[in-house]
Every structure is written in structure tokens, then in C-alpha cells.
Amino acid sequence: MVLMAIDHVRVYSGIPAGGQTAGIFFTRWITNFCAPAFAFFAGTSAFLYARKLAGRGALGRFLLTRGLILVVLELTVIRFAWTFNFDYARFTLAGVIWMLGWCMVLLAGLVQLPTKAVGIIGLGIICFQQVFSQIPRAFPESIRSSIGWIWEFIYPAAGLGEPHGIAVLYVLVPWIGVMAAGYGFGAILTQEPARRRKLCLQIGLGATALFLLIGGLMVFLKPVPAGAPPALFRLLSQQKYPASQLFLLMTLGPTIALLALAERWRGWVAEMFSTFGRVPMFYYLLHIPAIHIAALLVTILREGAAHPEWYATAPFTSVPAEHRWGLPLLYLVFAVVVALLYVPCRWYSGVKARRNKWLRYL
């Protein structure tokens, strides 16, 4: 949750994703861990939450309801927070919350199967995701031409058209596979502590090693074009949209391995992160408008005007190159926003702990 804010401050700073300098490259790269962790642990959380409910039917209803709430929030509250306008004709985004919401809707059906089957299906979707680009081509031309654009919400398939009036940033495949795999992973977290930590290390380090092996071979066997970035940058620049197998190995591997260590952390730093983690949706709904307001204030101080037009289609901003922030300012704004958000998140964590039944959806 905290790392995510770095990338969203970067969006409003105008600094493009990636870059030839190490500072800009890793400012973006470190935040690549966020979306895979959100989707994977949403599945894990669903598995653990099921233990409190009366059967899989109750879990399915919860996931269906929460998923649809997230989709509505993406199209209303979150869209406004990004852009501070209601010009839907100009720009609408199917972003990460949209993806998580629809994946929960799909998971609501999958969880009626045995846990092991859900996990295997998830891994299968991840490993064979490219097959989904060919499925629409099996339909008759008349059907493909009329509804083919719908497939762009599922997985990119060239030549089928694009959804009108909405930018699809996160497709559902392979993310439903990531969430389903996370659901299956929940069974590991119910093991006794020593075995749980051992399995997390084995899975996480194994996935990381596989990424280094395959990714390293691809980097060193491919011809290097003139002006290409360093080998390390090429290794770490894996495809995120849609998330490739190597991208998911690169991000989920270290994340899972970290679980074996993170559960032992104590102290005020661990408590701070835990506070944000207990109220993830509340934090998400607050952090985007907070960053947007901070960006407007910074722009006023630096430029003498707010220039809201630069952010009218955020997260795709149009800050002129000469007005972009430097990294020190980016990280200063990030630190201030996160520090300010701790107070309301701590308050809401207490409210949520009092078990208001509707708050569980947020």
C-alpha cells in the first residue's frame, strides 16, 4: 500500500515510467510489486475469510458483492479522485480496482470448487495466458466483429477493435489466475509456523530463481540493439500490461519469500505498515485525492497556477517536460502524504475492528 503511493505521486509529477537513469527506473520498478501482491493476497484473504463463514456459498456471495462494489467505486469515486472532473466522454479508466473487482466476481464462482483445484486453475491461467488471445478467432466472423471488442477487457487480441470511451489498463487475464493461485496459497498459510515459513521461502526463492534463469537467458541470448539500456534494466523490464509470466515470477517470488520474514517483524514500523494493511480500501480511496491535491498545491507554488488540465486524464497526465518534478520533490511529497494518511487510517482501523457488517466490504 505504501509503495503504491510512490508510483501515483510519480504520475502527478509528470515523470514517465521507466527511464535511462537508475533513480527514475527503480522509482517505477519497485512499485511493480503492488498489483501482483494485491491480486494474489486478495485470493489468500478470501480463503482465510471463508473460515469465518458458513460455507462456500456465503464466501461466494461476499466476493460477488465486494467485487461489484469495487467496480462501481472505480467508475465513480476513484475516477473523480484521479481527474477531479466528470467528463466521462473524454476519459474513463478500467484500472486496478476495476480488475480486482471483476476478478472477485469470477472467484466467487471458482471458490465452489476444492481449494487445490482453484489453485491449479489459477496457475494454469497464468502459464497459458497467451491462449486467450486466440480464443475470439474461433468465433464466426459475424460474432467476432460485433462483440470482439468485449474481449479486450479479458485479454488483448489484435484486430478485434477497442472498447469505446474507456481505457483498459488491467485486463482480467492473467489477474484472475493470480487471484485464484493466491486462494490456493491460503492453504499453506494455515500450516504450523515453521512449515509455513519453510514453504514460503521455498516457493518464493524458487520462483525468483526461475525468473533469473529464464529472464537472464533471454537477455543474454537476444541481440542487443544500439542504444539499448543496461542488461540489468532489460532483465527487470518485464511486460506488465498484460502481466507476463516473467513479470509475475519477478514480483510474486520475492513477495512470497518475504512473508517468511515479515510475520516476525515487530516494533512501531511494523505497526505502521499493519495499520495501512488493515484498511487497504480506505487507504486507497484517500491516497489518490490526497496526492492529486498535493500535486495541485505544488504546481501552484512552482508555476503560479494549478494547471488542472495537466491532470484531467490521470493517471495518464500531460505535464510538459520542462515542468516535471525532480526525484527529491517526488519523494518528499510521497513521504508527507503517507504520513498524513496514517492518522485517518489508524482511526478507521479502530472503527472497522468494531465489526460493523458493512465495513467488511471496504
Side-chain angles (χ1 to χ4, degrees):
M1 303 305 298
V2 174
L3 283 178
M4 173 183 61
I6 298 175
D7 193 49
H8 293 165
V9 175
R10 179 198 60 77
V11 163
Y12 285 97
S13 76
I15 296 176
Q20 295 295 323
T21 68
I24 295 176
F25 180 88
F26 285 105
T27 291
R28 168 59 172 166
W29 180 82
I30 193 64
T31 64
N32 283 331
F33 288 83
C34 301
F38 295 163
F40 188 80
F41 291 127
T44 304
S45 297
F47 174 88
L48 297 175
Y49 188 60
R51 305 173 79 196
K52 302 179 181 179
L53 301 176
R56 291 174 178 159
L59 176 62
R61 290 189 294 273
F62 170 77
L63 288 170
L64 177 64
T65 303
R66 189 164 196 249
L68 293 176
I69 288 174
L70 293 186
V71 171
V72 172
L73 286 173
E74 176 75 83
L75 297 177
T76 55
V77 176
I78 295 172
R79 186 207 172 277
F80 178 78
W82 278 116
T83 64
F84 283 178
N85 66 62
F86 296 101
D87 190 0
Y88 281 84
R90 180 181 181 187
F91 179 74
T92 304
L93 179 70
V96 67
I97 301 302
W98 161 282
M99 173 272 288
L100 291 173
W102 284 118
C103 285
M104 286 182 185
V105 170
L106 295 174
L107 188 64
L110 286 176
V111 296
Q112 309 310 313
L113 300 173
T115 301
K116 186 175 181 179
V118 177
I120 291 173
I121 290 171
L123 291 175
I125 291 172
I126 293 170
C127 293
F128 303 105
Q129 58 177 279
Q130 284 79 8
V131 172
F132 285 83
S133 68
Q134 302 303 315
I135 291 176
R137 307 189 189 286
F139 299 144
E141 177 61 31
S142 58
I143 297 177
R144 190 163 66 241
S145 60
S146 59
I147 66 170
W149 60 271
I150 297 176
W151 201 257
E152 292 302 304
F153 290 105
I154 300 172
Y155 196 84
L160 297 183
E162 297 181 357
H164 178 69
I166 185 167
V168 182
L169 188 59
Y170 284 88
V171 290
L172 301 188
V173 174
W175 296 109
I176 178 55
V178 174
M179 190 175 288
Y183 182 87
F185 180 76
I188 291 176
L189 294 189
T190 61
Q191 303 286 325
E192 56 90 15
R195 177 164 174 74
R196 177 175 68 237
R197 288 192 287 268
K198 180 180 179 181
L199 289 172
C200 286
L201 282 173
Q202 289 176 339
I203 295 170
L205 295 179
T208 304
L210 187 60
F211 160 71
L212 292 173
L213 175 62
I214 299 175
L217 286 174
M218 292 179 67
V219 166
F220 290 107
L221 292 179
K222 278 186 177 181
V224 181
L232 177 61
F233 285 18
R234 300 200 305 276
L235 172 64
L236 298 179
S237 297
Q238 299 299 328
Q239 177 182 293
K240 183 179 181 180
Y241 304 108
S244 68
Q245 293 89 342
L246 283 176
F247 178 87
L248 294 172
L249 286 172
M250 176 183 73
T251 52
L252 287 177
T255 300
I256 293 170
L258 184 63
L259 281 181
L261 306 175
E263 66 174 275
R264 295 180 172 182
W265 291 350
R266 297 293 183 272
W268 69 269
V269 174
E271 176 58 27
M272 178 193 70
F273 288 131
S274 296
T275 297
F276 291 131
R278 284 191 288 267
V279 291
M281 198 63 221
F282 182 76
Y283 172 93
Y284 191 95
L285 292 174
L286 285 185
H287 94 286
I288 296 175
I291 292 171
H292 194 161
I293 291 170
L296 292 173
L297 292 175
V298 168
T299 305
I300 290 172
L301 291 174
R302 297 177 78 227
E303 312 294 339
H307 290 290
E309 71 277 6
W310 292 351
Y311 315 116
T313 56
F316 304 112
T317 56
S318 56
V319 181
E322 64 272 18
H323 298 291
R324 293 170 184 168
W325 307 358
L327 287 180
L329 179 57
L330 187 160
Y331 279 96
L332 174 62
V333 172
F334 155 72
V336 170
V337 168
V338 171
L340 291 175
L341 289 179
Y342 177 78
V343 175
C345 286
R346 184 175 181 180
W347 165 80
Y348 186 71
S349 177
V351 173
K352 191 175 181 181
R354 292 194 279 274
R355 298 180 182 274
N356 182 304
K357 67 177 183 178
W358 290 107
L359 297 184
R360 62 182 178 157
Y361 292 105
L362 297 177

